[in-house]
Amino acid sequence: MADTTLCTFAELEFLLRSAAGPHGERAAAMDAVRHRLGLQPEAATDIVTAAGVASLLARGLCTEEGGNVVPGPLVLGAVAALSTLHTTTEAAGSADARTLQLHLFSGGAGRLAAYPGPFGLYGVEVLDPAEPLVAPLARFVDRCTAGTGEAAVVIRSAEAGEGAEVGLAIARTADGSWLLSGDGPQDVVAGSRPSSRDGVVAALVERFGAPVAAGA
């Protein structure tokens, strides 16, 4: 599993500005990413972006050479994924008192994972572009359903832009029974069908990619 780096919303603004291209040719696509991450449009300013650059430099995630900002591996990987974006995926899960969120931005040159947190902070991971989409989704489901008791996960994925959406809702009841629904964002129990842990993995594979082992 990739290492998670905590980033501020200002640092993300720098990533989005960089991925938009030198002439803003992908600005609309980055606005859509910004919306999915819950970043306010008014934050997309030169001042906020400059603060993001300064923070990345201070943390060693970028370096300065001859007056130029040189991106480090995390920044390079994130910008590569965003600038070649073709699929966006969102997942939300709840277990006991926990609520977790995951955003995956898959591009031709990589995949970026972002976990929204409090105070404008995000956990960020640059994932192996060769890894199938189902792998990080299976890890997220495992994270949300760790332990015992009730749990639920909702996933939706679509091509960037106007692509058709694929959804899946997963629930585990208090008695340990598993339920599946293909209508993602709606009530996870409504219209669901009985399943099992293996059935959950099979449904993830069917909708989102190549097989991975349960608990991978």
Side-chain angles (χ1 to χ4, degrees), residues 89 91 102 104 133-142 155 204 208:
T89 307
L102 167 64
L104 293 169
L133 176 60
V134 70
L137 292 176
R139 291 195 294 267
F140 184 76
V141 171
D142 287 338
I155 304 169
L204 288 170
F208 304 110

Side-chain angles (χ1 to χ4, degrees), residues 5-76:
T5 301
L6 204 60
C7 290
T8 68
F9 74 93
E11 291 170 334
L12 288 181
E13 284 294 347
F14 172 71
L15 300 181
L16 292 168
R17 180 75 65 92
S18 299
H23 306 292
E25 53 267 29
R26 292 181 294 274
M30 294 306 101
D31 282 343
V33 172
R34 186 176 288 106
H35 175 73
R36 288 181 178 274
L37 290 173
L39 296 172
Q40 299 301 315
E42 54 268 26
T45 65
D46 291 342
I47 292 175
V48 171
T49 303
V53 175
S55 179
L56 291 167
L57 287 167
R59 299 172 62 197
L61 297 174
C62 290
T63 57
E64 184 273 332
E65 292 183 11
N68 296 314
V69 176
V70 179
L74 175 72
V75 174
L76 283 173

Side-chain angles (χ1 to χ4, degrees), residues 98-127:
R98 298 180 304 150
T99 300
L100 303 171
Q101 287 183 288
L102 167 64
H103 295 270
L104 293 169
F105 302 102
S106 303
R111 179 176 292 127
L112 177 67
Y115 304 87
F119 311 116
L121 298 174
Y122 294 78
V124 172
E125 298 174 0
V126 174
L127 305 179

